[in-house]
DNA sequence: AAAATTTTCAACCGCGCTGTC
DNA sequence: CGACAGCGCGGTTGAAAATTT
């Protein structure tokens, strides 16, 4: 064993005052300090041999039986992270990377559970990967979460709300929202060719603002009715669980679930958004002044395919929304607040990290995108309760943002979605015009968006809606499994949400 | 080529949960 | 029922490696 190597890193083997640290990390027989620092191959061999003979577990016995001067914790960690025979070595594959992003969006920093979905990978590995990735992306002002992930989550929550399974009120369980430095889903859209049969309103979904969403207050009833992957810590399973019914069978088995996501095809995004033409005209009757405007990027509205395909902008931090759409500006947009707080915001959701203050309970949070979406959902619900002038606070409705409903086809979207507009960073504009410098994000995930036919209809979600009370269909995890992930062989043509259902959802949501 | 900076990642730490006595 | 032990999780640290200046 290389003691010099060990001593270099060892900061003393006296462990912490904690009982377990004292017991297994302190001294051996009160005399010999347990080793810390890097493991040597000799130690590895001893540990491997021990596990072969005695199996995993009872780690504190390792030192006693093998003579290894390592605390049980250290042994367990070493085994779990490096010596386990089933460990997959090497860099994450693109599929795995995509999977991690998806999982993080849904779970937040639940590394162990994420690891459970990625066979052969350890929580530590995933954690390191994510932290590295996040740093890199943030530094490059690139989105942490791809747009389709944002939308799927958001849509799922919306649908869930419409099904009445997402409870509101003060049932929010802080523990379920336990997170840290809430990651702000930033979105950047590259090479979006949205002009082909894509409803402009679908794009509007992207021009939303999570920060506004997230500032509105806390209280997603995460714990009631919502059986998200995040579970109460107290009920945390000892062993890795399969969290997503659908995801499990896909991700867990290493199938190319995310093949379709690798490039974040626009079509997928649109599909996930749950909107497809023809847009239900009835929606305009809702107390939703600009719902009809909601949509779209000017590229779409104008069928400006040239602009849509023009690779213009360099990846750039999208930093406007919540501020840009501040209340003070609402008037300038000439429209009243809309009861549709949400869709406004994937953009914000994507760009502005909710401050910790937003979590009224003072909990830090580092949840994934899902938390943000849930948060917004809760707000949405609240806003629905509040008469017809819901978004009096930070949240900005589409109308406020995109102009008058009286002129849906010629909205202000064009104005502020335009790169030349004051806002300049509208996601919609990014959607249609921005292209990352290199054609792919720094983390290798190209945010390409391909136009997709919007006439297909996906069934799982629709079915789930029809039978919300069946077998947990009202549960997001089920939705995640059925509606979010589709077999890769169908990825190019699946419609994740039934158009009519979505329209109905939106209508319901707005009229509630 | 060397120094400085950044990135990666193995390991540690503290906390909380569960099971046992 | 409380104390304790074992274990696992998530956050953090810091040395090594890689990259940039």
């Amino acid at each position: 064993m290389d003691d010099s190597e060990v001593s270099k890193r060892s900061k003393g083997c006296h462990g912490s005052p904690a009982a377990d640290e004292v017991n297994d990390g302190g001294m051996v027989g009160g005399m010999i300090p347990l080793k810390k620092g890097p493991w040597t191959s000799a130690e590895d061999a001893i540990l491997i041999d021990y596990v072969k003979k005695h199996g995993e577990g009872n780690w504190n016995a390792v030192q006693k039986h093998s003579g290894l001067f390592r605390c049980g914790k250290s042994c367990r960690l070493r085994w779990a992270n490096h010596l386990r025979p089933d460990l997959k070595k090497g860099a994450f594959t693109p599929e795995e990377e995509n999977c991690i992003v998806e999982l993080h969006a849904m779970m937040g920093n639940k590394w162990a559970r994420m690891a459970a979905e990625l066979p052969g990978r350890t929580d530590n590995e995933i954690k390191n990967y994510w932290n590295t990735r996040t740093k890199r992306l943030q530094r490059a002002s690139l989105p942490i979460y791809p747009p389709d992930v944002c939308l799927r989550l958001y849509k799922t929550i919306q649908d869930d709300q419409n099904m009445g399974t997402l409870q509101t009120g003060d049932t929010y369980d802080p523990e379920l929202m336990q997170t840290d430095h809430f990651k702000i889903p930033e979105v950047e859209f590259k090479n979006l060719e949205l002009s082909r049969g894509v409803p402009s309103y679908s794009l509007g979904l992207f021009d939303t603002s999570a920060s506004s969403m997230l500032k509105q207050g806390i209280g997603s009833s995460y714990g009631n009715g919502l059986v998200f992957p995040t579970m109460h810590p107290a009920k945390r399973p000892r062993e890795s669980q399969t969290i997503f019914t659908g995801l499990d069978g896909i991700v867990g088995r290493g199938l190319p679930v995310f093949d379709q996501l690798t490039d974040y095809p626009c079509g997928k995004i649109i599909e996930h958004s749950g909107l497809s033409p023809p847009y239900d005209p009835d929606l305009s009757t809702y107390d939703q002044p600009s719902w009809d405007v909601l949509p779209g990027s000017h590229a779409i509205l104008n069928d400006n395919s040239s602009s849509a395909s023009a690779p213009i902008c360099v990846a750039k931090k999208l930093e406007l929304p919540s501020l840009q759409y501040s209340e003070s500006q609402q008037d300038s947009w000439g429209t009243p607040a809309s009861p549709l707080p949400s869709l406004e915001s994937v953009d914000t959701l994507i760009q502005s990290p909710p401050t910790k203050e937003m979590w009224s309970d003072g909990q830090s949070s580092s949840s994934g995108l899902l938390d943000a979406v849930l948060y917004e959902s809760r707000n949405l619900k609240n806003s629905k309760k509040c008469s017809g002038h819901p978004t009096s606070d930070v949240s900005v409705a589409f109308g406020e943002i995109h102009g008058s409903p009286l002129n849906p086809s010629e909205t202000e979207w064009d104005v502020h979605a335009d790169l030349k507009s004051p806002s300049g960073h509208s996601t919609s504009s990014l959607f249609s015009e921005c292209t990352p410098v290199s054609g792919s994000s720094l983390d290798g995930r190209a945010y390409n968006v391909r136009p997709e036919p919007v006439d297909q209809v996906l069934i799982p979600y629709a079915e789930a809606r029809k039978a919300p009370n069946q077998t947990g269909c009202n549960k997001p995890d089920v939705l995640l499994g059925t509606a979010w992930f589709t077999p890769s062989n169908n990825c190019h043509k699946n419609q994740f949400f039934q158009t009519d259902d979505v329209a109905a959802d939106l209508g319901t949501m707005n009229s509630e």
Side-chain angles (χ1 to χ4, degrees):
Chain A
M1 108 173 39
D2 184 355
D3 287 332
S4 62
E5 178 192 356
V6 172
S7 62
K8 263 196 297 180
R9 295 182 66 161
S10 180
K11 287 170 283 185
C13 302
H14 301 294
S16 74
D20 59 340
E21 296 297 321
V22 171
N23 289 337
D24 58 29
M27 305 287 192
V28 175
M31 294 300 291
I32 307 171
L34 293 178
K35 263 191 68 181
K36 283 187 172 182
W39 281 65
T40 64
S41 52
E43 289 176 308
D44 284 346
I46 292 173
L47 182 56
I48 292 171
D49 185 58
Y50 175 86
V51 173
K52 278 180 184 173
K53 290 176 181 172
H54 302 89
E56 297 183 47
N58 201 14
W59 296 110
N60 284 330
V62 176
Q63 177 257 313
K64 297 171 191 169
H65 296 124
S66 68
L68 196 57
F69 294 117
R70 291 278 184 174
C71 69
K73 259 186 172 180
S74 187
C75 292
R76 181 183 64 81
L77 200 66
R78 184 64 183 176
W79 175 260
N81 289 345
H82 300 282
L83 304 179
R84 260 167 49 200
D86 60 328
L87 283 181
K88 205 185 284 182
K89 303 287 184 181
F92 285 109
T93 65
E95 288 75 22
E96 286 175 321
E97 292 176 358
N98 285 327
C99 184
I100 290 170
V101 173
E102 291 275 342
L103 291 172
H104 190 275
M106 293 178 279
M107 303 176 182
N109 299 354
K110 302 300 178 186
W111 312 119
R113 280 160 45 204
M114 290 166 75
E117 301 296 327
L118 290 168
R121 297 300 185 177
T122 69
D123 53 353
N124 210 37
E125 239 181 327
I126 295 171
K127 181 172 55 183
N128 284 333
Y129 167 76
W130 182 262
N131 289 337
T132 298
R133 175 183 179 277
T134 299
K135 260 189 189 177
R136 192 189 337 133
L137 292 176
Q138 286 181 332
R139 194 170 40 251
S141 298
L142 287 171
I144 292 171
Y145 293 113
D148 60 325
V149 171
C150 296
L151 285 174
R152 280 202 303 276
L153 279 164
Y154 187 75
K155 184 67 186 87
T156 298
I157 300 306
Q158 276 189 340
D159 293 334
D160 194 74
Q161 283 186 322
N162 290 337
M163 286 187 280
T165 55
L166 181 61
Q167 298 178 23
T168 59
D170 300 319
T171 56
Y172 163 71
D173 179 357
E175 290 192 73
L176 292 176
M177 291 288 276
Q178 208 167 30
T179 52
D180 237 27
H181 56 281
F182 202 106
K183 290 285 186 300
I184 301 157
E186 293 185 324
V187 172
E188 159 126 6
F189 309 100
K190 174 190 102 169
N191 269 343
L192 303 183
E193 299 176 359
L194 300 172
S195 58
R196 280 185 278 164
V198 178
S200 60
Y201 46 79
S202 295
L203 298 177
L205 290 174
F206 295 94
D207 203 352
T208 57
S209 166
S211 67
S212 60
M213 296 176 158
L214 298 169
K215 288 178 188 170
Q216 295 184 50
I218 199 105
S220 250
S221 58
Y222 226 40
N224 294 344
L226 262 183
V227 185
F228 269 101
T230 299
M231 58 184 70
H232 195 290
K235 296 183 173 63
R236 186 177 59 210
R238 276 279 179 195
E239 296 183 16
S240 53
Q241 289 186 343
T242 292
I243 312 170
F244 308 115
T245 46
L247 189 57
D248 167 53
I250 301 171
V251 176
R253 292 167 198 159
L255 294 180
V257 183
F258 297 105
D259 286 354
Q260 57 183 300
L261 301 177
T262 301
D263 293 327
Y264 298 116
C266 176
K268 270 291 174 277
I269 295 171
I270 299 305
E271 289 169 3
H272 298 337
S273 74
L275 294 172
S276 70
Y279 183 65
D280 183 353
D282 288 346
L283 291 176
S284 61
T285 63
Y286 302 126
D287 187 7
Q288 187 51 239
S290 40
W291 182 231
D292 49 343
V293 195
L294 179 163
S297 81
H298 62 296
I300 294 301
L301 291 172
N302 299 337
D303 191 23
N304 186 349
S305 48
S306 61
S307 70
S309 59
I312 313 172
C313 0
V314 166
K316 187 172 185 175
K317 183 154 193 167
L318 311 175
E319 44 191 19
L320 53 118
S322 55
L323 291 179
Q324 193 168 32
Y325 302 153
S326 67
E327 263 186 298
S328 62
Q329 285 191 317
Q330 290 180 21
D331 289 343
S332 67
W333 292 110
T335 54
S338 159
L340 216 198
S342 47
L343 297 182
E344 92 214 42
S345 354
V346 176
D347 193 36
T348 312
L349 173 71
I350 289 167
Q351 304 171 37
S352 327
T355 59
K356 286 193 176 183
E357 294 77 44
M358 67 175 265
W359 304 107
S360 57
D361 63 352
Q363 290 231 0
S364 65
S365 50
S366 99
S367 68
L369 178 57
L370 179 58
D371 282 345
V373 174
L374 279 171
Y375 182 80
E376 170 60 7
S377 293
R378 201 269 190 176
N379 292 332
L380 172 62
K381 212 57 172 180
N382 285 341
S383 70
K384 287 188 224 170
K385 288 180 180 177
C386 302
S387 70
H389 308 293
T391 58
S392 58
D393 59 358
V394 188
S395 177
V396 180
F398 285 109
E400 304 165 59
I401 300 171
H402 305 301
S404 164
L406 296 176
N407 195 3
S409 61
E410 194 72 9
T411 72
E412 293 184 358
W413 181 282
D414 287 345
V415 177
H416 61 80
D418 187 21
L419 291 173
K420 297 173 182 176
S421 70
S423 57
H425 295 292
S426 164
T427 301
S428 63
S429 64
L430 288 170
F431 250 134
S432 60
E433 302 177 358
C434 293
T435 299
V437 190
S438 62
S440 68
S441 66
L442 291 186
D443 65 345
R445 292 163 59 93
Y447 291 178
N448 287 330
V449 178
R450 295 189 295 269
E452 297 275 340
V454 291
D455 57 341
Q456 300 101 345
V457 173
L458 176 78
I459 305 326
Y461 170 71
E463 290 178 348
R465 288 193 71 247
K466 290 173 185 171
N469 295 324
Q470 294 175 12
T471 59
C473 285
N474 58 334
K475 297 179 181 182
D477 53 344
V478 170
L479 291 177
L480 290 173
T482 60
W484 288 28
F485 304 96
T486 57
S488 59
N489 60 336
N490 291 328
C491 69
H492 62 290
K493 56 184 179 181
N494 277 343
Q495 180 79 19
F496 278 72
F497 303 109
Q498 192 171 41
T499 300
D500 290 346
D501 284 345
V502 172
D505 287 346
L506 293 171
T508 300
M509 178 171 65
N510 293 329
S511 61
E512 269 185 302

